Each structure stands twice: as C-alpha cells, then as structure tokens.
Amino acid sequence: MKKLIVFVFVGFIAQLIDGSLGMAYGVTSSTLLLTFGIAPAVASASVHLAEVVTTAASGASHWKFGNVDRGMVLKLIIPGSVGAFVGACFLSNLPGDLIKPYVSLFLLALGLYIMYRFLFLNGRAPSAPEKRWSNKQLVPLGLAAGFLDATGGGGWGPIATPVLLANKSMEARKVVGTVDTSEFAVALSATLGFVISLGWEQVNWYWVLTLMAGGVVAAPIAAWLVRKLPSHLLGVLVGGLIILTNVRTLLHAWEAPAPLYPVVYGLIVIGWAAAVLTAVRNGRKGKAARGELAS
C-alpha cells in the first residue's frame, strides 16, 4: 500500500512539473522505475503507456485554458509521432548512452540562453511581429524530439520546449501548452512501437496505473498554473529545470566522482533560486514602471 501511494504521488508530481514547465514527466518517471531495477525498454514502455492518458488530460486542460497554438500542434504531431515510433521499435539496438551527453550539452546551452533571455532581455526591446515556425523547422525538431523521447523514456518536452522557447515569437505559456498537447500523439506512437517490439505482456501495469492516477489529477492544476504564472517567471523556471536535468545527465555520463554531485547541484539550486528572485523583482519593477506611465 505504501508503494502504491508513493507511485501515485510520483505520478502527480511528475505531471505537475511537466504540465506547468513543459518537460520532465518521462525523465522523472523513468528514473524512478530504473532505480527499482526495471529494464530500460520496459520502463520506457510503461511510462509512455501512462503518458497516453496523462497527456490527453493535460492537453485537454491546456486547450481549455487557452495555452495552445493549434496550428503548431498539428505541425508537430506527425514528425513527432514518426520519430517516437521508430525510436521505440529500435530502442534495444540504439547507443542511447553514447548520444545523451551530446544532446545534453546542446540543451544545457539552450537552458543558459533561456535563463539569460528572460532575466536580462525580456521586455527591454520592442516586441517583434510574430513569426510563424515553418515546416522546415518543425519537422526535424519533431522527428528528433520524438525519437529521443522513445529511446530515453523522456525527451519530447526537454527538447521541444527549450527550442521553441529560445525563439521570441511565442508566449512561454503557449510553448508549454503546445508541447504538452502534442505529446499525446507522441506517447501513443511510442506505445504502439513498444507493443510491436515487446508485446503487452512486458508492460508493468502496476507502474502504469499508479502513474496514470497521479498524472490525471495533476493535469488541470498544472494547466491553470501556466495561465497564471507571468511569462518572465515561467521562462526562468523552465531554464533552471533544463540546466539541472542536463547537468545531471552529463555528470552521470562523464562518471564524475560522487562528492562532486551535491556541490554542483547545490550551486545550481542556489543560482536558480537567485534567478527566480531576480525575475520576481524585475516583474515588480515592470509593473511599477507601467503604473507610472499610465498615471
């Protein structure tokens, strides 16, 4: 019973983070399953099957609160689904551990840029007219994010969210909502690939149902939070999460000594907290300036 409660809680927290910041459900859930000795392919299959339900709930919630760019969702779904299906079918033969550090370095750089942008550039320049993402940009993004999502048990949000957020043409809340909504098709395609490769008997239904239960409860709460959080604060929160998760991946990939982990994590958390406080202070200054201009 205690284990059941723990996994429901993990599903809740994972979806709350994923739904409000656009990433981390697969990473959080997969990490937990792997610590219990579940094989990577089975862990990824269980997580993606749970995500079919949680992402449907999350997408519906984001849609209701107006956090979705409908045109972009349609452009991301097809390449993302193809990438996820292919990644799931070939998971056992892919050198995922070899690829991860290079992807993490790229995402770490994006996370630092996003943090810098929302702390120091947000609101300092006149807003440019919105530029629509072309199919030439979205197709490779969807293919890569879907492929890495299936092979790593989580990657759609960590890749799609920072890439879309690094461009200044979309609100942060719409980036998060669009990525979360399109993830339903990605999770469904990955699940089909795993069923073909592994069969239903390999799926751990205990993990799936508990993760589903927590995620469904958290989905509408996360969508509401995205609507309420200011864009500059949401950007800093996303940037910090990108930095933290990818530094963790790099430390493991480079086999860093154990005593280094708490030091690095501690410095990142302190810097992240300082960035959040700075973002809040900048937001208050912006409101004060607008109030002075209005008066």
Side-chain angles (χ1 to χ4, degrees):
M1 186 63 184
K2 288 182 179 179
K3 190 180 289 187
L4 175 66
I5 295 172
V6 167
F7 275 83
V8 170
F9 180 72
V10 167
F12 177 87
I13 295 298
Q15 182 57 46
L16 189 65
I17 295 171
D18 186 271
S20 56
L21 299 185
M23 66 187 74
Y25 184 90
V27 173
T28 304
S29 305
S30 297
T31 301
L32 177 70
L33 294 181
L34 291 173
T35 59
F36 278 83
I38 307 298
V42 177
S44 190
S46 301
V47 168
H48 280 91
L49 188 55
E51 278 187 315
V52 171
V53 173
T54 59
T55 53
S58 181
S61 301
H62 279 298
W63 199 285
K64 178 182 177 182
F65 284 108
N67 299 332
V68 179
D69 183 321
R70 301 182 183 187
M72 186 172 289
V73 166
L74 296 176
K75 291 179 180 179
L76 283 172
I77 279 177
I78 295 177
S81 299
V82 172
F85 182 82
V86 173
C89 289
F90 292 97
L91 172 60
S92 58
N93 298 317
L94 290 172
D97 293 337
L98 185 64
I99 298 171
K100 272 187 178 180
Y102 298 101
V103 176
S104 291
L105 282 172
F106 169 70
L107 294 176
L108 180 60
L110 273 180
L112 290 169
Y113 170 73
I114 289 166
M115 187 76 78
Y116 172 76
R117 177 197 150 195
F118 281 92
L119 277 178
F120 302 109
L121 301 181
N122 197 47
R124 295 198 177 186
S127 55
E130 184 174 343
K131 296 179 181 178
R132 305 298 297 176
W133 285 77
S134 67
N135 289 334
K136 289 182 180 179
Q137 295 170 311
L138 292 176
V139 167
L141 173 61
L143 285 170
F147 183 81
L148 292 169
D149 185 84
T151 56
W156 178 254
I159 292 173
T161 297
V163 170
L164 294 177
L165 202 57
N167 187 292
K168 300 180 182 180
S169 64
M170 287 181 69
E171 295 178 71
R173 71 180 182 92
K174 285 209 168 184
V175 169
V176 172
T178 299
V179 170
D180 259 29
T181 302
S182 56
E183 192 172 9
F184 166 73
V186 174
L188 183 61
S189 297
T191 300
L192 290 175
F194 283 121
V195 169
I196 292 172
S197 304
L198 300 173
W200 287 107
E201 64 276 3
Q202 291 294 324
V203 175
N204 192 313
W205 290 102
Y206 179 85
W207 313 129
V208 170
L209 294 174
T210 51
L211 292 172
M212 277 183 186
V216 168
V217 174
I221 301 173
W224 176 83
L225 279 174
V226 168
R227 186 174 176 82
K228 295 297 181 183
L229 282 174
S231 178
H232 62 276
L233 181 57
L234 186 60
V236 170
L237 289 171
V238 172
L241 184 62
I242 294 167
I243 293 168
L244 184 64
T245 53
N246 287 287
V247 166
R248 176 186 177 277
T249 300
L250 290 171
L251 288 174
H252 281 284
W254 294 337
E255 298 180 354
L260 190 62
Y261 282 63
V263 175
V264 174
Y265 292 158
L267 290 174
I268 292 173
V269 170
I270 291 170
W272 194 6
V276 169
L277 291 175
T278 302
V280 171
R281 187 164 59 247
N282 289 346
R284 288 175 179 171
K285 287 180 181 178
K287 284 183 180 179
R290 287 191 296 272
E292 291 172 4
L293 288 172
S295 62

